[in-house]
Amino acid sequence: MTDLQPVRGTRDLIGEEQRRHQFVVDTASRVAAAYGFDEWEIPVFEDTRVFARTLGDTSDVVTKEMYTFDDRGGDSITLRPEATAGICRALVSNGLTQSLPQKVFCAGPMFRYERPQKGRYRQFYQAGIELIGPAEPVADAEVIACGWDILQALGITDDIVLELNTLGDRESRLAYRQALIAYFADHRQELSADSLTRLERNPLRILDSKDEGDRRIVAGAPTIAAYLTDAARAFYDGVRENLARFGVPFRENPRIVRGLDYYNHTAFEFVTSSLGAQGTVLAGGRYDGLVAEMGGPDIPAVGWGAGIDRLAMLVAAPPPPRSVAVIPVGDAAETAAIGVLQALRRHGVRAEMAYRGNLKRRMERANRTGARAAVILGESEIARGVAQVKDLAAGTQEEVALAELPARLR
């Protein structure tokens, strides 16, 4: 059994990697809370219809990447490939469609069967927010501003650019769809097999193709700007104006379409030049029809998801936590040492027992493990109600009353 390794596309998060990961999650949660978002926990697997119905039957996620299986009861179950559909399902299931707006933060593992590469895994982690209820463009701008503030709090915005586009309203997309069909039909012989399928069913999806041949053709395709209705153009103007008010810099990229079928109006990506081809670290948009797809009323919504794995590659690792080593000297001191350990822990001080060896060996181990201080307890100290506290960085030592230890070490 010694040759067992993590399944391809998964990995263990230990040590510095885990600290980076947790720093991203904690920072995102803290900033989102300042914007008024409440955290929800939703299942990591759902009825397959939650995703197949909403992500679009021409999306790569549905056609190639979902982990779908029949459980022992014969029900089709899918490990969640993203969180937005599950959150909208939860909104409807829990009768919250009349309690709007709902502002939701969610973080956790997602699952997609795709080729693992730098920053991309089959079990990957995302954090995201969803603002459900408001239809105004200022809501889109606020959601984007929250993402920008999280990236700023992580200290990584120097190499990150917000790219912005509009997908228009339904009338705009229908007109744009016809223009794309006409354009790509002239290049039918050069399109990949996937794009040929999309040409018949959803030509906007071709704009998101990763095939190099397709991308050369896409470069000459018309953009949606010429096909926007007055209402869609006004909405997009409102998003841009409010982003300026929030102080969020952006550049327009008419090729952003997002990878899932439920988006309309605003689409955006925060992109870095520091991760090679896997440059998108946070992306989202408006999805006004998704709640209705779940059987709820027609409720507007906007949100984004951020790749924790990729963000963790960009941040500086927080330093490892440092403990206080409690070192009993002599058998009689062990009982008192346990009392000191628990008192420190109850006051939020990370504390560990040095279990074996003489005083010298226990001190060596405390230094080797990076302890910040050692609390030394012998029979003489216990009799006087004190401990010797040694600052392992400075090398200084002082006598401290046992009752004062938590305050001194906290």
Side-chain angles (χ1 to χ4, degrees):
M1 299 292 284
T2 57
D3 61 345
L4 287 178
Q5 297 294 322
V7 174
R8 185 169 184 248
T10 69
R11 86 266 194 231
D12 304 309
L13 289 170
I14 297 172
E16 181 179 310
E17 273 198 295
Q18 170 58 22
R19 293 197 301 276
R20 290 175 185 267
H21 177 103
Q22 196 61 49
F23 175 58
V24 172
V25 174
D26 291 347
T27 302
S29 175
R30 172 175 55 80
V31 175
Y35 273 75
F37 288 86
D38 295 324
E39 187 160 0
W40 288 14
E41 291 287 349
I42 57 173
V44 296
F45 57 85
E46 298 267 6
D47 185 312
T48 298
R49 292 173 296 177
V50 168
F51 305 112
R53 177 190 298 175
T54 60
L55 304 191
D57 57 8
T58 62
S59 71
D60 283 349
V61 175
V62 172
T63 59
K64 301 177 182 178
E65 298 172 1
M66 292 203 314
Y67 278 95
T68 298
F69 58 94
D70 288 343
D71 67 10
R72 292 186 178 183
D75 296 320
S76 182
I77 301 297
T78 295
L79 298 179
R80 65 183 185 194
E82 56 91 50
T84 303
I87 287 171
C88 289
R89 190 274 310 149
L91 181 88
V92 176
S93 300
N94 290 279
L96 297 173
T97 58
Q98 301 302 312
S99 302
L100 301 176
Q102 290 289 331
K103 303 178 78 172
V104 183
F105 172 82
C106 181
M110 314 292 162
F111 306 85
R112 295 185 188 182
Y113 186 86
E114 52 187 346
R115 185 169 63 86
Q117 51 191 290
K118 182 179 180 181
R120 175 181 289 178
Y121 303 92
R122 291 176 175 176
Q123 177 177 315
F124 60 100
Y125 295 84
Q126 281 192 344
I129 63 172
E130 317 294 344
L131 177 48
I132 305 171
E136 296 79 11
V138 67
D140 303 48
E142 184 177 28
V143 160
I144 294 171
C146 180
W148 177 248
D149 282 355
I150 288 170
L151 299 176
Q152 285 190 308
L154 292 172
I156 57 175
T157 50
D158 286 351
D159 296 320
I160 289 181
V161 174
L162 167 61
E163 297 189 339
L164 184 71
N165 190 27
T166 178
L167 305 178
D169 52 19
R170 185 173 183 275
E171 187 179 343
S172 304
R173 287 195 306 281
L174 286 175
Y176 186 43
R177 183 179 188 276
Q178 295 306 312
L180 288 178
I181 289 174
Y183 173 79
F184 287 123
D186 289 340
H187 298 273
R188 184 183 296 272
Q189 301 304 317
E190 306 159 68
L191 291 173
S192 67
D194 284 343
S195 288
L196 282 173
T197 300
R198 292 165 177 162
L199 178 59
E200 305 300 327
R201 305 174 71 179
N202 188 351
L204 270 74
R205 190 70 69 196
I206 300 175
L207 301 177
D208 204 32
S209 174
K210 303 301 185 288
D211 180 88
E212 286 302 319
D214 289 345
R215 292 174 76 87
R216 286 192 292 271
I217 299 168
V218 165
T223 67
I224 198 171
Y227 303 92
L228 292 176
T229 63
D230 290 343
R233 187 173 291 105
F235 190 95
Y236 189 39
D237 289 342
V239 173
R240 290 179 289 189
E241 290 165 4
N242 280 291
L243 282 175
R245 291 172 183 146
F246 277 107
V248 181
F250 65 91
R251 70 183 179 202
E252 295 183 68
N253 180 351
R255 300 305 180 197
I256 294 176
V257 296
R258 306 300 304 125
L260 307 173
D261 275 0
Y262 51 60
Y263 286 101
N264 64 304
H265 282 299
T266 311
F268 61 90
E269 297 182 359
F270 284 93
V271 180
T272 179
S273 57
S274 301
L275 294 176
Q278 301 305 314
T280 302
V281 295
L282 187 155
R286 178 163 282 278
Y287 51 94
D288 290 345
L290 184 54
V291 175
E293 287 283 348
M294 293 295 174
D298 192 7
I299 295 174
V302 60
W304 52 253
I308 296 172
D309 308 276
R310 295 180 189 176
L311 291 172
M313 295 167 67
L314 299 173
V315 301
R322 301 180 68 194
S323 297
V324 169
V326 177
I327 301 175
V329 180
D331 293 342
E334 293 221 354
T335 298
I338 290 172
V340 168
L341 268 176
Q342 295 303 88
L344 290 173
R345 290 165 175 168
R346 281 192 291 269
H347 284 82
V349 177
R350 181 183 173 107
E352 300 179 64
M353 176 82 91
Y355 285 108
R356 64 175 62 175
N358 58 25
L359 176 60
K360 180 182 178 182
R361 287 193 173 182
R362 295 188 191 199
M363 289 294 293
E364 287 173 348
R365 183 183 183 279
N367 278 296
R368 189 171 61 252
T369 58
R372 60 187 176 90
V375 175
I376 304 165
L377 286 167
E379 292 182 17
S380 169
E381 284 80 13
I382 293 168
R384 292 182 292 118
V386 299
Q388 301 295 329
V389 177
K390 183 168 186 177
D391 184 323
L392 295 179
T396 57
Q397 184 168 313
E398 62 177 329
E399 194 170 88
V400 178
L402 295 180
E404 296 175 6
L405 278 175
R408 182 68 61 88
L409 291 167
R410 188 171 58 234

